[in-house]
Amino acid sequence: MADTDCRANLIRTATLLFAESGYNGVSVRQIARAAGVNLAMISYYFSGKEGLYGAVLNEQFAVLRRIPEIKTVENDPLKKFELYVRATVARYRKNPFLLRFYTSELTNPTPCFESIVKPAIKGVVQLLIDTFTDGLSHDQFRKDLDPTDTVLALAGMINFYFLLEPVTTELLDHSAERDEALIQHIMDIFAKGVLK
Amino acid sequence: MADTDCRANLIRTATLLFAESGYNGVSVRQIARAAGVNLAMISYYFSGKEGLYGAVLNEQFAVLRRIPEIKTVENDPLKKFELYVRATVARYRKNPFLLRFYTSELTNPTPCFESIVKPAIKGVVQLLIDTFTDGLSHDQFRKDLDPTDTVLALAGMINFYFLLEPVTTELLDHSAERDEALIQHIMDIFAKGVLK
DNA sequence: TATTATTAAACGATCGTTTGAATAATAGAG
DNA sequence: CTCTATTATTCAAACGATCGTTTAATAATA
């Protein structure tokens, strides 16, 4: 088994197991056995359990660092927000474990939180704040709204939908076919509110 | 030290430590030492670590089960929603650890998830859905909105604000003095949207 | 032959739980 | 009220299991 095989196997398997049970909920022996490699390979390639977890988290949050690209492909603030929501849904569909690491690090931070998670999330929030401020200067949004509170509200709408999936499976259809309707729905509330 | 002292000490200390580091991130020895009681008391009073964790979670989610009282004190659907948001903020202020157990169980469920957490959250979501449906029948809300998606959006706005606190401390003021403005703000967006 | 990759085995430390003795608290009988 | 029998509580110590890591030997590769 070549270098890359072993490394890749470990990262892939560890992603699954760490996501399922958290950093402290999995042992290096479980990971090694599930990956079909020798226990010592974790220390050999990642210099320990923490190193492996860091590699997993780094890979997971790489996608979050690409969100600022939205700035370059769209000009209209409201459409930028829609792109953000759309990218968020696509991200969670493509990577079912990201949200777990996301919230797990928020509630029980490891050393990776400061170095990887916090900068990544902060970058996204800052982009959204800038977008709203831009919309304000173009007289597009209501002037009495606070930029930070407003964009956190938008981010909350879409993220909470996925976070609550384990308890709402019997209440609504979480299939990807409904994603487009969900996106429209959230943008609709965000833009126009619920009052008749 | 009487029965209740020991029990109460353990629950109070365990709440703090479990919230900080998660179920697998704390040992019974750490809890016992921090509580100033003997290690064996955990098995004696709670028949083990899991039992203690269950007792902690039970106490934490008791407050969530009282939310349906909103139904009895208010009639107007929009004001019921505001009461929910208000109660949520008050809950997190009074109990800074609830949200941690909340999201920790959502992402890395223990046996307590099915028995304690899921029923509690589901009850709240169902109350909100009923409230929106009620408002729809009174012609108060836009008819093209899906009840479940809509109330999850509202719940997301307020919950996500607190969930993201660790990364937004430098971006906004999380002090309780701003709570009233936050509530008004979220209800404002929910009711009327952001467009001018 | 020199370097890299993999292995089984062992390391000390800590895990959650249990044991059995010691202590404290309580209740009933005189 | 005192003594005693019973129960409830607390304790230090030990249980086997598992934790993450390291070692030294072997296999593969260039």
Side-chain angles (χ1 to χ4, degrees):
Chain A
M1 189 179 297
D3 173 344
T4 52
D5 281 358
C6 201
R7 279 187 82 97
N9 257 351
L10 277 173
I11 289 195
R12 185 163 36 84
T13 309
T15 301
L16 196 77
L17 295 183
F18 279 142
E20 265 178 12
S21 314
Y23 178 76
N24 290 307
V26 196
S27 72
V28 287
R29 282 176 178 79
Q30 289 174 16
I31 297 172
R33 197 182 323 125
V37 309
N38 187 279
L39 167 64
M41 292 295 92
I42 292 177
S43 286
Y44 183 74
Y45 282 113
F46 303 95
S47 58
K49 186 185 184 184
E50 258 196 53
L52 174 57
Y53 181 74
V56 167
L57 236 62
N58 227 1
E59 192 183 89
Q60 289 288 311
F61 281 82
V63 289
L64 224 63
R65 285 191 283 269
R66 294 193 49 207
I67 287 192
E69 291 177 12
I70 291 177
K71 260 189 286 194
T72 66
V73 297
E74 177 61 54
N75 264 324
D76 179 58
L78 193 61
K79 284 196 176 150
K80 274 188 193 168
F81 283 137
E82 185 178 327
L83 272 187
Y84 158 74
V85 174
R86 220 170 266 281
T88 302
V89 172
R91 206 161 50 242
Y92 289 149
R93 289 302 180 191
K94 190 176 175 190
N95 190 338
F97 308 119
L98 177 59
L99 187 61
R100 296 210 168 197
F101 291 109
Y102 197 121
T103 54
S104 176
E105 282 290 330
L106 276 171
T107 51
N108 299 124
T110 70
C112 290
F113 177 72
E114 289 293 332
S115 59
I116 300 177
V117 180
K118 187 172 174 179
I121 299 182
K122 232 179 133 175
V124 174
V125 174
Q126 193 59 59
L127 163 77
L128 295 176
I129 293 176
D130 293 345
T131 302
F132 191 80
T133 308
D134 183 36
L136 273 181
S137 70
H138 287 80
D139 216 26
Q140 193 173 3
F141 301 132
R142 294 166 42 199
K143 287 211 184 310
D144 54 336
L145 293 177
D146 176 75
T148 308
D149 283 351
T150 305
V151 302
L152 283 181
L154 177 65
M157 287 193 249
I158 186 59
N159 280 281
F160 202 66
Y161 173 88
F162 287 95
L163 181 64
L164 238 59
E165 177 167 344
V167 298
T168 52
T169 42
E170 292 115 3
L171 294 175
L172 67 91
D173 174 21
H174 275 90
S175 70
E177 288 88 49
R178 229 176 58 80
D179 284 352
E180 185 57 35
L182 175 72
I183 295 167
Q184 302 279 356
H185 204 267
I186 285 179
M187 289 309 298
D188 205 27
I189 293 177
F190 185 68
K192 299 183 295 184
V194 301
L195 283 188
K196 197 179 177 184
Chain B
M1 190 180 295
D3 173 343
T4 52
D5 282 357
C6 200
R7 279 187 82 99
N9 257 350
L10 277 173
I11 289 195
R12 185 163 37 84
T13 309
T15 300
L16 196 77
L17 295 182
F18 280 142
E20 265 178 12
S21 314
Y23 179 76
N24 290 306
V26 196
S27 72
V28 286
R29 281 177 178 80
Q30 288 174 19
I31 297 173
R33 197 182 325 125
V37 308
N38 187 278
L39 167 64
M41 294 294 93
I42 292 176
S43 287
Y44 182 74
Y45 282 113
F46 303 96
S47 58
K49 186 184 185 184
E50 258 196 51
L52 175 56
Y53 182 74
V56 167
L57 235 62
N58 227 0
E59 192 183 88
Q60 290 287 313
F61 280 83
V63 289
L64 223 64
R65 285 191 282 269
R66 294 194 48 206
I67 289 192
E69 291 176 11
I70 291 177
K71 259 189 287 195
T72 66
V73 297
E74 178 59 55
N75 265 325
D76 178 57
L78 193 62
K79 285 196 176 150
K80 274 188 194 168
F81 283 136
E82 185 179 327
L83 273 187
Y84 158 73
V85 173
R86 220 169 266 281
T88 302
V89 171
R91 206 162 51 243
Y92 289 150
R93 288 300 179 194
K94 190 176 174 189
N95 190 338
F97 308 119
L98 177 59
L99 187 61
R100 296 209 168 198
F101 291 109
Y102 198 121
T103 55
S104 175
E105 281 290 330
L106 276 171
T107 51
N108 299 123
T110 70
C112 290
F113 177 72
E114 288 293 333
S115 60
I116 299 177
V117 181
K118 187 171 173 180
I121 300 181
K122 233 178 130 175
V124 174
V125 174
Q126 192 60 58
L127 163 76
L128 295 176
I129 293 176
D130 293 346
T131 301
F132 191 81
T133 309
D134 183 35
L136 274 181
S137 71
H138 287 80
D139 217 26
Q140 192 173 4
F141 302 132
R142 292 165 46 199
K143 286 210 184 311
D144 54 334
L145 294 176
D146 176 74
T148 307
D149 284 350
T150 305
V151 302
L152 283 182
L154 177 64
M157 287 191 251
I158 185 60
N159 281 281
F160 202 67
Y161 173 87
F162 287 95
L163 180 64
L164 239 58
E165 176 166 345
V167 298
T168 52
T169 41
E170 292 114 5
L171 293 175
L172 66 91
D173 173 22
H174 276 91
S175 69
E177 287 88 50
R178 231 177 57 79
D179 283 353
E180 185 56 35
L182 175 72
I183 295 168
Q184 302 278 359
H185 203 267
I186 285 179
M187 289 309 297
D188 206 26
I189 293 177
F190 185 68
K192 301 184 294 185
V194 299
L195 283 189
K196 197 176 178 185

